[in-house]
């Protein structure tokens, strides 16, 4: 065989090996159709997307606009997040597809779909069977917070896409080679440039390597071990240099300076708060959003053990709620579009609250049972774990521990734990046919709930933006209109090139830097000190239900 023929044969053999390595083509076709079909369906139903920022996304879209105009990166003075890579990505996207909130939202939706495919590939590389990987991928992209954040220019989905890419690259590494570990560390470092929590992936991956080396009875300190953890040491150094550059050689956000020295106060509270809000709260959240695949584990022979676990978790939750009522151990859903407080207007609670005792009790029971099913699934994971599986779980565990002292008790922070939990469910799916049918049905129901939430939020956001435009057309200055947190920030807060040093010099923006009532307020309920001049319908999820959006005018001594 001559040289070219031999080279072609080698390429063909390598291609065949790669195809087997990356799972069967039919599985990939099914995954691609499911993921992109789902996002296309959501887009077609909720379009047109409101050309307005979602939640905190105005902070990052304003930074993109500032970068395009001035060539430098600057965030709002009170923002403590510095996602440099997201600003560069948004600027590049805007140059091709145009500026505007809707365009930037779609840029993140694309990353959400890619993140779903990365998870599917990761699950297969970790040993999940085809149907288990498909169902767990569906559970991830149907997650209420994942889908809601996919249609916003927030940092959660870009961060998760890079993190899943880092884990996927790690899973491609052979046991004695470090070639794929370098891309893994690089992707984790890039994720750090979106959210610093990516440092947990550096530590988790390095520890997974060390555990694997120890299991092979190799010395911890050896040339081979150093070669395997060198990529993550280099990635950590890159993250450290980036952090020093951001915090020491760039203007420090003025609110971050105000927050210095307050970390010690995080520990000066009752332990019940950390048990309820930091441990039971995230576990109950996972129990709710992963219940479609977690609950079927209670149909197995271990159902008695599952009931005992659920009852124990419920008891701990009730005790912690009794001792620390301000942080009840109930599932946090503030970043789910279907709940009104996802769109922050006056007249709405700032945190999620269950409205009555029966709903609260039902949610806690579902959360406890789902959490018990997840624990049973974790106990049934294949042993020994593959290094990639170990890296994903260790990263999530380190991240979870980091949330507790920081008081990040919110579903947008819990979302980072979801891929690791979905991976465990993919590796230990329900075996009985009844469990599989229940899991598929549950995922479909969850997907419909999430779709309804995104549609509800976009329609309401569009309604508020239309009311704002009507008031401006009637001659009202934009600075006299309180249109809610997101629109106020996007319209009124623009970082001055001179860094704002103190709160007192910040522009007075309703719901952001000022609590004072504006002349006109767009609210979800009447507010004391105002009179109602108009009421617009707030369409409920997928057109069902219906609530009101009020246009209020400030009064003086009860008169307009």
């Amino acid at each position: 065989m001559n040289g070219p023929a031999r080279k072609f044969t080698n390429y063909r053999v390598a291609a065949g090996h790669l195809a087997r390595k990356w799972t069967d083509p039919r599985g990939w076709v099914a995954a691609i159709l499911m993921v992109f079909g789902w996002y296309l369906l959501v887009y077609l139903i909720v379009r047109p997307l409101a050309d307005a920022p979602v939640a905190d996304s105005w902070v990052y879209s304003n930074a993109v606009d500032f970068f395009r105009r001035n060539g430098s990166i600057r965030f709002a003075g009170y923002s403590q997040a510095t996602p440099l890579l997201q600003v560069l990505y948004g600027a590049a996207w805007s140059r091709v597809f145009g500026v505007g909130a809707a365009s930037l939202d779609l840029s993140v939706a694309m990353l959400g779909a890619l993140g779903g495919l990365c998870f599917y590939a990761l699950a297969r590389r970790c040993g999940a069977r085809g149907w288990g990987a498909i169902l767990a991928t569906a559970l991830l992209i149907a997650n209420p917070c994942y889908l809601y954040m996919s249609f916003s220019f927030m940092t959660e989905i870009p961060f998760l896409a890079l993190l899943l890419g880092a884990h996927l690259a790690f899973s491609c590494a052979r046991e004695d080679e470090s070639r794929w570990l370098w891309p893994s560390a690089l992707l984790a470092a890039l994720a750090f440039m979106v959210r610093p929590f990516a440092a947990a992936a550096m530590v988790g991956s390095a520890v997974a390597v060390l555990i694997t080396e120890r299991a092979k009875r190799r010395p911890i300190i050896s040339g081979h071990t150093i070669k395997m953890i060198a990529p993550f040491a280099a990635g950590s150094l890159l993250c450290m240099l980036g952090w020093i550059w951001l915090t020491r050689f760039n203007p420090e956000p003025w609110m971050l300076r105000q927050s210095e020295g307050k970390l010690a106060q995080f520990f000066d509270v009752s332990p019940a708060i950390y048990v309820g809000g930091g441990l039971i709260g995230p576990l109950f959240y996972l129990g709710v959003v992963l219940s479609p695949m977690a609950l079927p584990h209670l149909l197995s022979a271990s159902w008695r053990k599952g009931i005992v676990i659920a009852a124990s978790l419920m008891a701990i939750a009730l005790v912690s709620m009794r001792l620390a009522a301000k942080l009840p151990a109930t599932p946090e859903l503030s970043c789910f579009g279907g709940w009104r407080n996802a769109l922050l207007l006056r007249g709405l609670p700032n945190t999620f609250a269950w409205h009555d005792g029966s709903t609260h009790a039902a949610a806690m029971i579902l959360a406890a049972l789902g959490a018990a099913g997840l624990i049973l699934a974790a106990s049934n994971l294949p042993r020994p774990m593959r290094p990639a599986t170990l890296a994903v779980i260790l990263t999530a565990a380190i991240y979870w521990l980091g949330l507790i002292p920081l008081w990040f008790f919110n579903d947008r922070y819990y979302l980072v734990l979801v891929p690791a939990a979905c991976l465990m469910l993919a590796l230990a799916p329900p075996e009985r046919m009844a469990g599989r049918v229940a899991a598929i049905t549950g995922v479909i129901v969850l997907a419909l709930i999430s779709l309804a939430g995104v549609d509800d939020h976009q329609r309401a956001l569009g309604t508020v933006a239309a009311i704002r435009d009507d008031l401006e057309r009637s001659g009202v200055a934009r600075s006299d209109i309180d249109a809610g947190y997101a629109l106020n920030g996007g319209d009124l807060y623009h970082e001055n090139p001179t860094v704002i040093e103190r709160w007192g010099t910040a522009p007075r923006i309703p719901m952001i830097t000022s609590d004072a009532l504006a002349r006109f307020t767009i609210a979800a309920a009447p507010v004391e000190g105002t009179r109602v001049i108009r009421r617009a319908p707030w369409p409920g999820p997928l057109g069902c239900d219906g609530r009101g959006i009020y246009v209020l005018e400030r009064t003086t001594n009860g008169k307009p």
Side-chain angles (χ1 to χ4, degrees):
M1 186 179 295
N2 57 25
R6 184 182 301 109
K7 185 176 294 187
F8 174 78
T9 302
N10 291 338
Y11 283 144
R12 187 176 62 181
V13 172
H17 174 71
L18 189 62
R20 291 191 298 272
K21 186 176 181 180
W22 285 86
T23 75
D24 63 291
R26 288 182 299 178
W28 265 107
V29 169
I32 291 172
L33 289 177
M34 179 189 69
V35 172
F36 282 102
W38 168 241
Y39 273 89
L40 178 61
L41 174 66
V42 175
Y43 174 70
L44 292 176
I45 289 179
V46 303
R47 64 175 304 196
L49 294 174
D51 192 16
V54 174
D56 291 324
S57 63
W58 61 270
V59 173
Y60 314 118
S61 58
N62 281 0
V64 169
D65 182 62
F66 189 91
F67 177 77
R68 286 171 55 85
R69 289 185 288 106
N70 301 282
S72 61
I73 296 177
R74 188 179 299 279
F75 296 95
Y78 71 94
S79 172
Q80 298 181 18
T82 52
L84 301 181
L85 188 61
Q86 178 152 332
V87 173
L88 298 178
Y89 171 72
W93 177 279
S94 300
R95 188 174 297 275
V96 178
F97 298 102
V99 297
S103 176
L104 292 176
D105 290 352
L106 287 177
S107 74
V108 176
M110 182 64 66
L111 294 179
L114 293 176
L117 291 179
C118 282
F119 175 81
Y120 171 78
L122 173 65
R124 293 307 305 269
R125 293 286 307 168
C126 288
R129 286 176 289 178
W131 81 271
I134 286 283
L135 195 57
T137 302
L139 187 61
L140 172 65
I141 62 177
N143 178 279
C145 188
Y146 191 96
L147 187 67
Y148 172 66
M149 290 297 183
S150 290
F151 288 89
S152 75
F153 195 60
M154 296 282 282
T155 60
E156 280 72 18
I157 300 304
F159 170 76
L160 276 180
L162 287 168
L163 185 63
L164 287 168
H167 287 317
L168 179 58
F170 186 97
S171 72
C172 295
R174 294 185 178 182
E175 293 185 356
D176 297 323
E177 293 182 356
S178 62
R179 181 178 57 181
W180 278 98
L181 299 183
W182 286 100
S184 175
L186 176 60
L187 287 170
L190 293 176
F192 183 90
M193 297 303 171
V194 178
R195 298 182 77 183
F197 300 133
M202 297 289 188
V203 179
S205 298
V207 172
V209 169
L210 293 176
I211 292 176
T212 302
E213 294 294 296
R214 186 60 178 170
K216 296 177 181 178
R217 301 185 182 279
R218 289 174 174 166
I220 295 297
I221 302 178
S222 66
H224 182 270
T225 303
I226 293 175
K227 182 186 74 171
M228 297 295 284
I229 64 173
F232 304 106
S236 299
L237 178 61
L238 181 61
C239 293
M240 186 182 301
L241 293 176
W243 182 254
I244 292 173
W245 179 76
L246 286 172
T247 58
R248 300 305 176 194
F249 296 98
N250 277 277
E252 185 180 35
W254 50 265
M255 191 173 179
L256 182 61
R257 186 172 302 169
Q258 287 186 338
S259 301
E260 290 180 353
K262 294 183 179 180
L263 183 62
Q265 298 178 11
F266 292 163
F267 299 93
D268 190 22
V269 295
S270 167
I273 290 181
Y274 294 112
V275 173
L279 294 176
I280 301 297
L283 186 58
F284 273 18
Y285 169 78
L286 294 175
V288 169
V289 298
L290 302 178
S291 57
M293 288 189 72
L295 288 178
H297 282 276
L298 299 178
L299 302 177
S300 66
S302 302
W303 68 270
R304 292 182 180 85
K305 184 188 300 184
I307 296 300
V308 171
I309 295 173
S312 301
L313 292 175
M314 180 69 80
I316 296 173
L318 292 174
V319 171
S320 67
M321 289 171 60
R322 180 76 174 177
L323 297 176
K326 291 184 178 180
L327 283 174
T330 49
E332 173 64 68
L333 296 173
S334 65
C335 291
F336 169 42
W339 296 104
R340 294 184 299 170
N341 55 309
L343 179 62
L344 285 179
L345 302 173
R346 291 192 187 272
L348 289 177
N350 291 327
T351 57
F352 181 84
W354 299 95
H355 297 293
D356 57 71
S358 60
T359 304
H360 188 185
M364 289 193 66
I365 292 172
L366 174 63
L369 291 173
L374 181 61
I375 292 173
L376 289 179
S379 67
N380 293 326
L381 287 176
R383 301 289 195 277
M385 289 187 191
R386 298 189 183 189
T389 305
L390 192 59
V392 173
I393 294 176
L394 285 173
T395 296
I398 295 169
Y399 173 83
W400 191 343
L401 290 175
L403 296 184
I404 298 174
L406 295 176
W407 277 54
F408 289 157
F409 303 156
N410 183 277
D411 55 344
R412 56 183 290 208
Y413 298 109
Y414 300 162
L415 182 61
V416 182
L417 303 172
V418 172
C422 285
L423 179 61
M424 292 192 294
L425 293 171
L427 294 173
E431 296 294 339
R432 299 174 61 178
M433 182 56 67
R436 296 185 183 186
V437 172
I440 294 172
T441 303
V443 170
I444 293 174
V445 171
L446 182 67
L448 291 175
I449 293 174
S450 301
L451 172 60
V454 174
D455 178 71
D456 180 29
H457 185 271
Q458 292 287 337
R459 299 287 74 75
L461 186 60
T463 301
V464 174
I467 296 173
R468 172 205 60 189
D469 294 341
D470 288 344
L471 288 173
E472 287 194 89
R473 280 192 291 267
S474 68
V476 179
R478 179 62 184 92
S479 57
D480 289 333
I481 305 171
D482 178 356
Y485 175 82
L487 285 173
N488 289 347
D491 294 341
L492 302 177
Y493 192 105
H494 296 284
E495 183 72 9
N496 191 290
T498 302
V499 179
I500 300 172
E501 295 293 341
R502 288 184 295 274
W503 181 276
T505 61
R508 295 179 63 80
I509 301 176
M511 301 189 74
I512 295 178
T513 59
S514 172
D515 293 328
L517 282 173
R519 178 186 169 194
F520 291 94
T521 299
I522 305 172
V527 176
E528 184 178 358
T530 65
R531 68 160 188 165
V532 179
I533 61 174
R534 180 182 168 191
R535 185 181 185 276
W538 178 338
L542 298 180
C544 303
D545 191 14
R547 293 159 287 195
I549 294 180
Y550 296 82
V551 183
L552 310 175
E553 185 178 11
R554 188 180 60 207
T555 61
T556 303
N557 297 325
K559 298 180 180 180

